[in-house]
């Protein structure tokens, strides 16, 4: 097992940031920690790295109990949300830092740094300072710096959080390829479900200082363990008092037994997806997701009467005991 | 002379003090940062007098030193002490906000990469606060050179022995020795101008480097 965090509790004053959290991360996997802001993702990652000391619990990395070890002895690589680039050092010096600390011979440092600069596609930029790089380049430098010392595990705290959508998308794909090449056990913190789904093999969903569910992206989407998870990994709407996915609702323009009657208020064309907003008695947020090829689309417009019924699985019943039903 | 000794000491104290206040999660650190500002609020003459009280022959510590043949008040150590005390806040006040602004991420990154605390300080923390320190040192120098009140009290003002430049200016002036007084004053003024220019250069360099914000 790559990383085991067991019964971790961490309090800041009166506030419990991690409430008896346990998580296992298989070696060589890329696991995402997904959750809304303030749910405790960064705190858990920092506990694993040793940057925070938990009040209770243990951290085991590659079968060695690391709970009492300082960060520098744990063999982890850490990438911070805001890069934490050493601003007074060049790209080369940044990446070489960890190697020099370990008294690596000069020639070996040069060789390794050059190899990494190529790996993260910063060839020719070795002599630049961080202030002369773009956000995406800085983030890749930070990754190279963390990888330089060949860490047992790589911990990434919202590494793409500060970047624009296009660059994020590119770096995600790049990170996935990189992981397939180097196979280092990786934990990626993110609050973006699309990012988690796209990059990770496994996703741990966090909410309110706890882990709600750990599953593959597919299982998470298909059988969410709670209303919170269901809402967090995809859009939700409420039909007949049930939470359902908006694409799992069938619409008809003629009466259907057991369907909810309403009127179309708006039809929104989002390229492939067509979103239909419906006003119906007792429903204040009902909308349906159709594909543009659905034959019914051409019949829909404001004021058209429709009958809506659920065709997918509603939220699993055991989910109702959780407090926060709707997505953030 | 006083300045030569006081400035390096103050730089070290000031940086240590600032690190303590900003980086340590210790109890009473607010009290500590108040303590650093104390000399700014107190009249230098009061500081001088309190130093005499503590370090004088009949003072709390002064007696012990006197018995061992070390004279503090009315000699160089006392003057250095007074200068240190009066100018201590400048380094602290410059470095504290810079330390806060730089944050802990770079230090944490270095820590995870395996750097020892001393290496982190010399290779990461110090380079990123160096302009704050430089600025503080210059202000300290200016203040140390110009200090009159506290030093006048502890020095005993023995001409040619325990005299600082400002005290020299004052005593020459009161003795109607205008030429000497003006010359010395001019020297001090020139140093002050140099200091101000240096400060401006640093501020501009900072902007270019983008080291802050
Ligand atoms: N050093 C600290 N002192 C006090 N409270 C803290 C500290 N660090 C974190 N917290 C609190 O713990 C909670 C969880 O913080 P954490 O940074 O782990 O959240 P997160 O899930 O990473 O959120 P985000 O997505 O916004 O980064 C927050 O409510 C935060 O205010
Ligand atoms: Mg966070």
């Amino acid at each position: 097992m790559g990383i085991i965090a067991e019964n971790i509790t961490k309090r800041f004053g009166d506030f419990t940031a991690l409430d008896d959290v346990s998580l296992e991360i298989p070696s060589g996997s890329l696991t995402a920690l997904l959750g809304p802001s303030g749910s405790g993702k960064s705190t858990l990652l920092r506990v694993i790295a040793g940057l925070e000391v938990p009040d209770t619990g243990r951290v085991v990395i590659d079968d060695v109990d690391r709970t009492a070890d300082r960060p520098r002895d744990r063999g982890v690589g850490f990438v911070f949300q805001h890069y934490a680039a050493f601003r007074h050092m060049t790209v080369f010096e940044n990446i070489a830092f960890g190697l020099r600390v370990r008294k690596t011979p000069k020639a070996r440092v040069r060789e390794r740094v050059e190899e990494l600069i190529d790996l993260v596609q910063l060839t020719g930029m070795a002599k630049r300072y961080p202030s002369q790089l773009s956000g995406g380049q800085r983030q890749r430098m930070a990754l190279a710096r963390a990888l330089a010392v060949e860490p047992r595990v790589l911990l990434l705290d919202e590494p793409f959080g500060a970047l624009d959508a296009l660059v994020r998308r590119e770096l995600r794909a790049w990170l996935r390829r990189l992981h397939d090449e180097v196979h280092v056990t990786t934990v990626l913190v993110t609050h973006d479900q699309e990012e988690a789904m796209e990059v990770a093999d496994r996703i741990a969903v966090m909410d309110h200082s706890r882990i709600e569910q750990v599953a593959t992206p597919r299982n998470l989407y298909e059988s969410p363990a709670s209303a919170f998870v269901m809402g967090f990994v995809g859009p939700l709407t409420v039909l007949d008092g049930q939470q359902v996915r908006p694409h799992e609702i069938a619409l008809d323009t003629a009466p259907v037994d057991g369907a909810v009657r309403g009127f179309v208020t708006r039809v929104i064309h989002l390229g492939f997806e067509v979103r239909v907003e419906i006003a119906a008695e007792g429903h204040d947020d009902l909308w349906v997701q159709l594909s543009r090829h659905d034959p019914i689309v051409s019949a829909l417009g404001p004021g058209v009467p429709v009958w809506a019924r659920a065709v997918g699985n509603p939220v699993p019943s055991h989910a109702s005991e959780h407090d926060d039903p709707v997505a953030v | 002379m006083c300045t030569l000794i006081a400035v390096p000491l103050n730089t070290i104290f000031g940086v240590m003090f600032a690190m303590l206040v900003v980086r340590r999660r210790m109890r009473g650190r607010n009290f500590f940062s108040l303590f650093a500002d104390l000399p700014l609020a107190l009249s230098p003459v009061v500081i001088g007098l309190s130093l005499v009280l503590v370090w004088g022959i009949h003072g709390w510590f002064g007696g012990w030193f006197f018995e061992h043949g070390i004279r503090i008040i009315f000699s160089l150590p006392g003057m250095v002490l007074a200068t240190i005390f009066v100018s201590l806040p400048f380094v602290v006040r410059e470095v504290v906000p810079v330390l806060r602004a730089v944050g802990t991420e770079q230090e944490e990154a270095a820590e995870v990469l395996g750097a020892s605390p001393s290496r982190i300080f010399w290779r990461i923390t110090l380079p990123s606060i160096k302009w704050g320190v430089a600025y503080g040192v210059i202000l300290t120098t200016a203040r140390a050179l110009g200090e009159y009140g506290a030093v006048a009290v502890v020095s005993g003002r023995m001409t040619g022995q325990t005299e600082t430049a400002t005290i020299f200016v004052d005593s020459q002036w009161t003795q109607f020795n205008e030429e000497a007084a003006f010359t010395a004053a001019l020297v001090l003024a020139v140093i002050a101008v140099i200091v101000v220019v240096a400060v401006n250069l640093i501020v501009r360099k900072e902007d270019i480097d983008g080291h802050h914000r």
Side-chain angles (χ1 to χ4, degrees):
Chain A
M1 198 50 86
I3 305 170
I4 302 174
E6 217 172 67
N7 303 105
I8 305 281
T9 296
K10 174 71 190 173
R11 292 188 193 87
F12 295 109
D14 297 340
F15 183 79
T16 305
L18 293 174
D19 186 2
D20 196 26
V21 167
S22 295
L23 178 65
E24 297 195 350
I25 291 162
S27 342
S29 78
L30 201 171
T31 301
L33 268 183
L34 174 68
S37 187
S39 54
K41 309 179 295 289
S42 298
T43 308
L44 180 54
L45 204 67
R46 292 170 58 84
V47 164
I48 294 172
L51 292 168
E52 301 284 356
V53 181
D55 299 316
T56 65
R58 351 185 267 142
V59 175
V60 179
I61 298 172
D62 281 351
D63 304 317
V64 182
D65 189 327
R66 296 286 181 181
T67 319
D69 285 0
R70 281 169 304 192
R72 60 183 161 123
D73 302 324
R74 293 194 182 196
V76 301
F78 202 104
V79 174
F80 294 79
Q81 178 165 4
H82 300 287
Y83 326 122
F86 302 141
R87 311 168 92 159
H88 54 283
M89 296 183 198
T90 61
V91 169
F92 186 95
E93 290 164 336
N94 261 277
I95 299 175
F97 188 86
L99 296 168
R100 287 182 174 159
V101 165
R102 283 168 179 67
K103 309 228 175 342
T104 313
K106 254 200 175 127
R108 175 73 192 126
V109 171
R110 173 155 295 277
E111 187 187 335
R112 176 92 180 119
V113 172
E114 272 162 10
E115 191 182 300
L116 279 157
I117 284 180
D118 289 342
L119 181 72
V120 300
Q121 299 162 12
L122 289 175
T123 315
M125 299 187 186
K127 290 208 176 69
R128 292 209 197 169
Y129 284 90
S131 59
Q132 300 165 317
L133 298 178
S134 75
Q137 290 167 342
R138 260 178 240 170
Q139 198 55 286
R140 292 203 299 264
M141 179 192 84
L143 265 161
R145 186 177 69 182
L147 287 171
V149 295
E150 292 172 23
R152 277 182 275 269
V153 303
L154 186 60
L155 308 172
L156 313 170
D157 192 357
E158 307 217 21
F160 312 136
L163 304 170
D164 68 61
L166 211 70
V167 182
R168 283 179 82 115
R169 199 173 279 269
E170 243 171 59
L171 276 185
R172 255 185 235 163
W174 174 83
L175 175 68
R176 185 64 234 188
R177 285 198 304 273
L178 182 81
H179 183 263
D180 293 341
E181 261 174 61
V182 291
H183 280 301
V184 56
T185 310
T186 303
V187 185
L188 167 81
V189 163
T190 176
H191 57 246
D192 179 342
Q193 53 88 18
E194 196 185 311
E195 183 163 296
M197 297 263 188
E198 188 179 322
V199 177
D201 316 319
R202 293 164 76 252
I203 300 177
V205 182
M206 286 195 76
D207 185 38
H208 286 117
S209 321
R210 289 164 175 279
I211 289 184
E212 291 268 318
Q213 185 176 8
V214 185
T216 63
R218 184 168 175 186
N219 279 340
L220 207 61
Y221 188 84
E222 286 175 355
S223 40
S226 70
F228 172 80
V229 174
M230 184 167 182
F232 206 78
V233 296
L236 277 185
T237 185
V238 180
L239 178 66
D240 233 358
Q242 290 272 26
Q243 293 196 317
V244 288
R245 298 258 184 243
H247 72 264
E248 293 182 333
I249 295 177
L251 280 187
D252 280 286
T253 46
V256 177
D257 267 357
V260 171
R261 179 169 185 271
F263 293 95
V264 174
T265 52
R266 229 177 127 200
V267 180
I268 307 162
H269 293 270
L270 296 168
F272 181 74
E273 174 194 346
V274 177
R275 196 176 292 173
V276 185
E277 294 179 357
I278 295 163
E281 211 181 304
H283 294 72
D284 39 54
D285 180 35
L286 178 58
W287 61 282
V288 178
Q289 206 174 23
L290 303 171
S291 97
R292 61 186 287 253
H293 302 300
D294 197 316
I296 196 173
V297 170
S298 56
L300 300 177
V304 172
V306 285
W307 282 260
R309 67 202 147 88
V311 290
N313 308 317
V315 182
S317 55
H318 63 269
S320 54
E321 70 212 36
H322 287 275
D323 42 5
D324 200 344
V326 188
V328 176
Chain B
M1 184 64 203
C2 249
T3 309
L4 272 182
I5 302 177
V7 169
L9 282 177
N10 253 355
T11 308
I12 297 165
F13 282 155
V15 171
M16 265 166 49
F17 207 97
M19 289 290 289
L20 223 64
V21 169
V22 180
R23 290 291 189 258
R24 292 276 149 184
R25 291 178 198 165
M26 64 175 187
R27 235 167 278 177
R29 62 178 184 185
N30 288 335
F31 171 77
F32 265 97
S33 60
L34 270 181
F35 179 75
D37 285 342
L38 202 61
L40 285 180
L42 284 177
S43 154
V45 178
V46 174
I47 293 171
L49 280 176
S50 52
L51 283 174
V52 170
L53 197 71
V54 176
W55 296 101
I57 296 177
H58 304 292
W60 300 342
F61 306 119
W64 185 85
F65 277 103
F66 187 70
E67 278 161 25
H68 292 76
I70 302 168
R71 229 186 133 98
I72 292 182
I73 300 300
F74 306 132
S75 72
L76 190 65
M79 291 160 69
V80 171
L81 246 138
T83 311
I84 287 182
F85 208 71
V86 171
S87 54
L88 178 67
F90 292 99
V91 173
V92 178
R93 296 212 119 202
E94 286 309 315
V95 172
V96 162
V98 179
L99 263 182
R100 290 227 166 93
V102 171
T104 53
E105 274 203 349
Q106 290 184 54
E107 291 167 11
E108 286 180 344
E111 196 180 350
V112 176
L113 285 170
S116 64
S118 72
R119 193 179 184 108
I120 294 174
F121 177 77
W122 290 110
R123 300 283 289 126
I124 309 295
T125 314
L126 201 58
S128 52
I129 61 172
K130 65 181 176 207
W131 295 116
V133 174
Y135 196 64
V137 165
I138 286 172
L139 288 178
T140 306
T141 311
R143 183 65 206 256
L145 276 176
E147 179 45 33
Y148 176 78
V151 176
V153 173
V154 294
S155 72
R157 305 182 58 167
M158 289 178 251
T159 309
Q161 284 179 40
T162 59
E163 215 174 29
T164 67
T166 12
I167 293 173
F168 178 77
V169 172
D170 183 66
S171 62
Q172 293 303 313
W173 177 253
T174 42
Q175 287 162 31
F176 301 99
N177 202 344
E178 293 181 11
E179 210 172 300
F182 277 124
T183 314
L186 188 69
V187 170
L188 281 179
V190 167
I191 294 176
V193 168
I194 292 173
V195 165
V196 170
V197 169
V199 166
N200 268 305
L201 283 180
I202 284 189
V203 170
R204 208 162 308 148
K205 174 108 172 72
E206 230 167 69
D207 287 347
I208 295 167
D209 278 13
H211 262 286
H212 303 302
R213 243 152 285 130

